[in-house]
Amino acid sequence: MNIENLHLRELENEAIYVIRETAAQFSKKVILFSGGKDSIVLVHLARKAFWPAKMPFSLLHIDTGHNFQETLDFRDNLASRYGVELIVKYVQDSIDRGRVKEEQGINASRNRAQSVTLLDAIEEMGIDAAIGGGRRDEEKARAKERFFSHRNEFGQWDPKNQRPELWNIFNGRKSQGEHFRVFPISNWTELDVWQYIMEERIELPCIYFSHRRKVFNRNGVLLAWAPFMRLKDNEEVFEEDVRCRTVGDITCTGLVISKAKSVEDILKEVAVSRVTERGGRYDDMRSEVAMEERKREGYF
């Protein structure tokens, strides 16, 4: 045990308890793995929860086809290093089968289409528990979550129909076709995650640290430039020292100007930031209830 911080130890113990409860109550369970820091922390916690045995979860990644290559490389290396099964489902396949229609226009993104690909994968594989790295501090829709988040037979989330969780008793009972999303690090903050990463010396993709990248400014958000990104007439590509604060699809992941080269540097940045972690997510700016709408449809 590397942790000396009592607060982090309590959070870790809580998360491990939830992870073990998930393993005990469900038969087909996966970790939703994006290659982002929260899902990487989940894998670390899951390995700790069952060490020295192998963790009883596969990794499921929904690949939009517009992900950062650095994240995909890290994903593949992590799965290989830990000897864990990696299952990748592609949004492009959903588009090709006519399951979803690809957005058009300047602000087109495949981020919302992930919901269909994910729900199809859950049905196809018979998944009854999908473990995610959602945290209540990230966004107001996520603040309504339980550790065990019930989803109906259509994969939809009803915030008014969540079960009480008293004295750490989690109710995993479900009807046929229903499933649960499980959020072991719900009570962690962004600062907690970074402190834990530092204490446990957890490896992360290089894009979390300052690097030189081609970017452009769209409505006050710095976005990474990629060949599939369409620019407005008044937008120009330039180079800047940036890093990712949260990682998702390239089309919606806002970057922050930063010189942070280490976890210690990032902790200093996060401690004084007055912008929320998802404040730079372009997809959350589509409407005031963008995240809640996507969650109701089956997103994360």
Side-chain angles (χ1 to χ4, degrees), residues 40-75:
I40 293 169
V41 166
L42 277 183
V43 173
H44 182 83
L45 289 165
R47 293 183 73 238
K48 269 194 156 186
F50 299 97
W51 183 264
K54 185 178 179 180
M55 67 178 186
F57 310 113
S58 301
L59 305 183
L60 173 61
H61 182 215
I62 306 301
D63 189 342
T64 66
H66 293 162
N67 295 100
F68 290 94
Q69 188 59 47
E70 297 94 329
T71 305
L72 299 179
D73 292 342
F74 187 93
R75 175 201 71 187

Side-chain angles (χ1 to χ4, degrees), residues 163-212:
R163 299 166 181 180
E165 293 181 338
L166 306 176
W167 306 290
N168 290 334
I169 297 175
F170 305 124
N171 182 355
R173 294 183 64 183
K174 62 180 183 60
S175 299
Q176 186 173 359
E178 299 175 345
H179 73 279
F180 280 81
R181 307 290 171 89
V182 180
F183 302 108
I185 61 172
S186 285
N187 287 333
W188 298 40
T189 65
E190 181 188 11
L191 193 61
D192 292 331
V193 171
W194 281 110
Q195 288 177 327
Y196 188 75
I197 288 169
M198 182 175 70
E199 292 280 353
E200 295 289 287
R201 298 186 178 131
I202 298 173
E203 186 180 352
L204 295 177
C206 59
I207 56 175
Y208 274 108
F209 304 96
S210 180
H211 60 286
R212 198 76 174 171

Side-chain angles (χ1 to χ4, degrees), residues 7-276:
H7 172 64
L8 290 182
R9 186 188 295 269
E10 290 174 347
L11 289 174
E12 181 190 65
N13 288 340
E14 178 182 63
I16 286 176
Y17 176 76
V18 174
I19 289 169
R20 287 173 175 165
E21 278 292 299
T22 305
Q25 292 196 41
F26 301 99
S27 58
K28 181 66 174 180
K29 49 266 181 180
V30 297
I31 292 177
L32 298 177
F33 191 78
S34 67
K37 68 183 188 307
D38 296 321
S39 61
I40 293 169
V41 166
L42 277 183
V43 173
H44 182 83
L45 289 165
R47 293 183 73 238
K48 269 194 156 186
F50 299 97
W51 183 264
K54 185 178 179 180
M55 67 178 186
F57 310 113
S58 301
L59 305 183
L60 173 61
H61 182 215
I62 306 301
D63 189 342
T64 66
H66 293 162
N67 295 100
F68 290 94
Q69 188 59 47
E70 297 94 329
T71 305
L72 299 179
D73 292 342
F74 187 93
R75 175 201 71 187
D76 295 342
N77 290 335
L78 179 142
S80 175
R81 185 166 70 250
Y82 294 155
V84 61
E85 180 186 25
L86 172 65
I87 303 165
V88 182
K89 297 295 183 179
Y90 298 93
V91 171
Q92 184 62 55
D93 290 341
S94 298
I95 295 171
D96 293 343
R97 292 197 301 266
R99 292 285 294 143
V100 293
K101 185 176 181 180
E102 185 157 23
E103 292 183 1
Q104 303 297 319
I106 292 292
N107 292 310
S109 173
R110 291 182 172 182
N111 197 51
R112 193 161 189 163
Q114 291 180 91
S115 300
V116 174
T117 309
L118 173 58
L119 292 176
D120 285 350
I122 287 172
E123 182 178 6
E124 173 192 339
M125 299 167 59
I127 293 169
D128 53 7
I131 306 171
R135 308 189 323 268
R136 294 189 180 114
D137 76 317
E138 289 182 278
E139 203 271 343
K140 56 189 177 184
R142 289 184 173 175
K144 303 175 183 178
E145 285 285 13
R146 302 287 196 268
F147 282 106
F148 277 26
S149 180
H150 175 261
R151 303 300 169 101
N152 65 22
E153 66 272 26
F154 303 106
Q156 296 173 328
W157 172 69
D158 180 0
K160 297 180 180 179
N161 191 30
Q162 295 298 301
R163 299 166 181 180
E165 293 181 338
L166 306 176
W167 306 290
N168 290 334
I169 297 175
F170 305 124
N171 182 355
R173 294 183 64 183
K174 62 180 183 60
S175 299
Q176 186 173 359
E178 299 175 345
H179 73 279
F180 280 81
R181 307 290 171 89
V182 180
F183 302 108
I185 61 172
S186 285
N187 287 333
W188 298 40
T189 65
E190 181 188 11
L191 193 61
D192 292 331
V193 171
W194 281 110
Q195 288 177 327
Y196 188 75
I197 288 169
M198 182 175 70
E199 292 280 353
E200 295 289 287
R201 298 186 178 131
I202 298 173
E203 186 180 352
L204 295 177
C206 59
I207 56 175
Y208 274 108
F209 304 96
S210 180
H211 60 286
R212 198 76 174 171
R213 182 178 289 273
K214 290 182 178 180
V215 299
F216 63 95
N217 189 315
R218 175 163 293 172
N219 300 329
V221 177
L222 281 184
L223 295 174
W225 179 84
F228 54 79
M229 296 286 282
R230 293 177 57 188
L231 299 176
K232 299 178 182 179
D233 292 339
N234 63 340
E235 293 174 340
E236 295 183 359
V237 176
F238 58 96
E239 290 193 354
E240 185 61 86
D241 291 326
V242 295
R243 71 176 186 86
C244 291
R245 191 171 169 188
T246 176
V247 173
D249 188 292
I250 289 177
T251 62
C252 60
T253 299
L255 307 174
V256 294
I257 297 175
S258 174
K259 297 292 185 181
K261 295 287 189 179
S262 67
V263 175
E264 291 86 348
D265 292 339
I266 292 173
L267 275 167
K268 293 175 184 177
E269 283 189 0
V270 173
V272 299
S273 176
R274 293 297 176 264
V275 179
T276 63

